[in-house]
Amino acid sequence: MFQYSCLNPIAQIGLDGFDGQYEKTDDVNAADVVLVRSAAMHDMELSDKLCAIARAGAGVNNIPLDKCADQGIVVFNTPGANANGVKEMVVSGMLLAARDIAGGMQWVKDNADDENISKSMEKAKKNFAGTELKGKKLGVIGLGAIGGRIANYAQRLGMNVLGYDPYVSIETAWNISHHVKRVDDVKEIFANCDYITVHVPLTDETHHTFDSEAFGLMQKGTVVINFARGELVDNVALFEAIEAGIVKRYITDFGTEELLNKDKITVFPHVGGSTAEAELNCAIMAGKTIRQFMETGEITNSVNFPNVHQALTAPYRITLINKNVPNIVAKISTAVSELGINIDNIINRSKGDYAYTLLDLDETDKAKVDHLVANFEASDNIIRVRLIAKK
């Protein structure tokens, strides 16, 4: 029996797959699994029983990833579950920048008492005429689940699309239209595009991707759209670029005090992926990855451990979270052979300072398997051990 706890409301459709093997608990310290959306976990004491955390969303800034890795807790997210919602919001942002829709609507509100509104409107509308997206160049930085969708959709709108992503996966690349021009240097995006949208995680490498050097490469009148992370943009450099006319408009989903009520800056209240459909998709994916992990040991969409897949065909499977040290696989194999147990299959994958091992045993003697588990639990380099029996 597995116990799970929800730190935030999770759509019921995502919990429906938890069958009789699972029991919901309000006591997070008793849970094997935690599902979370936005609740802050950095100051929480994580129990030794906790095996996994599933974030119903893409960002994991509210989860202490390093502490979880140290304790052998696998953290999952749901990449792509809200991708369509973000895609549609980015396209909305481009339209808002191209046609000044918000300005036109505000003009109508401000002049609602004008008895000659029809005539006044005809005179004023030239101020909100704007331009079309068709034929304009769009640069997409990051061609993952969201960026790839945006690139494809913008191409269908008649835009000329340039994409940059040095880490794009083969699977993702197959889904990107051949009409999207891949560039090898992000500077080509900065220098050649009318619109630039960014969809990369925040790392030391991507922090302030949009700095004074990047803005200095852009042509005057560029629209910058940021629905990824606020810290990707150096706000001081942004303000200077707006003042110089380089940036026509900055549209972001991450409002800070210094960005609010600024001319030529449009701030949304972090709603890029906040749709009813996205919430359901995130819940479904979170529940599915948790069930797969708890029942088979397989890992999909973890942010602190490697993805590992292997069909369970042997009577027993042992999962090991271990320090990424030399000869660990050999030591695991030796421990198995010393008990006269045959290895049906073994797979080991590493990520940073840690590794994850699936060890399938061709052995039906539960006592011998339990003895092996106890030996692994006593090892200095093995952080967590789980035993899974084939159904």
Side-chain angles (χ1 to χ4, degrees):
M1 176 73 70
F2 303 123
Q3 290 190 300
Y4 70 94
S5 183
C6 300
L7 299 186
N8 298 107
I10 303 295
Q12 185 59 43
I13 192 172
L15 306 178
D16 286 342
F18 291 133
D19 55 20
Q21 300 179 77
Y22 298 86
E23 181 181 61
K24 189 173 183 180
T25 176
D26 293 329
D27 181 4
V28 66
N29 292 317
D32 301 284
V33 172
V34 163
L35 293 94
V36 62
R37 293 174 62 189
S38 59
M41 300 187 67
H42 284 276
D43 294 330
M44 290 179 57
E45 289 295 326
L46 305 177
S47 75
D48 293 336
K49 188 181 181 185
L50 185 61
C51 296
I53 299 170
R55 161 76 165 96
V60 289
N61 292 355
N62 57 319
I63 301 172
L65 299 182
D66 291 341
K67 182 163 69 172
C68 287
D70 289 342
Q71 294 184 218
I73 300 169
V74 181
V75 179
F76 300 90
N77 67 346
T78 57
N82 63 356
N84 191 70
V86 178
K87 176 202 76 176
E88 292 183 357
M89 189 62 87
V90 169
V91 174
S92 299
M94 289 195 292
L95 290 168
L96 286 170
R99 302 295 297 271
D100 192 13
I101 297 170
M105 293 172 66
Q106 188 61 48
W107 183 92
V108 174
K109 287 184 179 181
D110 293 342
N111 292 272
D113 296 331
D114 187 348
E115 296 179 356
N116 297 309
I117 186 66
S118 295
K119 290 183 178 179
S120 299
M121 191 179 295
E122 288 303 312
K123 294 179 180 179
K125 70 179 184 180
K126 63 178 180 294
N127 297 318
F128 312 106
T131 60
E132 298 180 7
L133 295 180
K134 183 178 181 180
K136 303 301 186 296
K137 286 186 179 180
L138 169 66
V140 182
I141 301 175
L143 294 169
I146 297 172
R149 281 176 169 83
I150 293 169
N152 289 343
Y153 193 77
Q155 184 271 324
R156 297 188 191 104
L157 290 175
M159 301 185 78
N160 299 313
V161 184
L162 280 66
Y164 171 78
D165 191 335
Y167 308 110
V168 65
S169 68
I170 295 175
E171 181 181 357
T172 301
W174 275 108
N175 293 322
I176 297 174
S177 169
H178 68 277
H179 294 291
V180 175
K181 180 184 176 183
R182 289 277 306 281
V183 299
D184 296 325
D185 191 335
V186 70
K187 292 180 180 179
E188 291 190 49
I189 299 285
F190 296 142
N192 294 292
C193 294
D194 305 293
Y195 295 82
I196 301 174
T197 182
V198 59
H199 302 280
V200 299
L202 178 63
T203 65
D204 291 340
E205 183 181 355
T206 62
H207 182 263
H208 284 184
T209 293
F210 292 82
D211 56 14
S212 57
E213 180 182 359
F215 288 122
L217 294 171
M218 295 179 191
Q219 55 190 328
K220 285 200 170 186
T222 301
V223 173
V224 176
I225 302 173
N226 178 12
F227 278 77
R229 282 291 178 267
E231 294 85 352
L232 298 174
V233 176
D234 179 347
N235 287 340
V236 174
L238 169 68
F239 298 151
E240 294 174 352
I242 291 175
E243 183 67 25
I246 294 171
V247 172
K248 171 185 174 183
R249 182 162 291 278
Y250 176 55
I251 297 178
T252 182
D253 206 22
F254 306 98
T256 58
E257 186 175 353
E258 59 184 349
L259 292 177
L260 301 180
N261 299 315
K262 288 284 197 306
D263 189 33
K264 300 181 180 179
I265 295 179
T266 300
V267 179
F268 293 108
H270 201 188
V271 293
S274 298
T275 65
E277 295 85 352
E279 181 179 344
L280 296 180
N281 289 339
C282 287
I284 291 170
M285 186 180 293
K288 182 178 179 180
T289 54
I290 282 295
R291 294 194 304 274
Q292 179 189 43
F293 175 69
M294 296 304 294
E295 295 170 26
T296 73
E298 294 181 296
I299 294 179
T300 301
N301 295 330
S302 172
V303 294
N304 63 342
F305 284 95
N307 289 338
V308 182
H309 300 100
Q310 179 173 282
L312 176 56
T313 59
Y316 291 103
R317 163 173 288 175
I318 295 176
T319 73
L320 305 168
I321 292 178
N322 53 273
K323 295 178 182 178
N324 189 17
V325 296
N327 301 319
I328 190 69
V329 175
K331 292 177 180 178
I332 291 171
S333 300
T334 298
V336 176
S337 65
E338 286 178 346
L339 291 176
I341 299 175
N342 184 53
I343 295 177
D344 182 77
N345 211 338
I346 184 171
I347 182 171
N348 175 274
R349 295 286 184 270
S350 63
K351 186 171 185 176
D353 295 330
Y354 299 93
Y356 186 71
T357 302
L358 292 182
L359 175 64
D360 293 347
L361 305 175
D362 186 13
E363 177 61 63
T364 57
D365 187 339
K366 179 67 159 47
K368 290 175 68 175
V369 174
D370 287 340
H371 189 180
L372 179 61
V373 168
N375 289 345
F376 285 143
E377 289 177 335
S379 173
D380 292 337
N381 291 321
I382 294 177
I383 302 169
R384 185 182 290 268
V385 184
R386 291 180 59 225
L387 176 63
I388 300 172
K390 182 184 176 184
K391 293 182 181 180

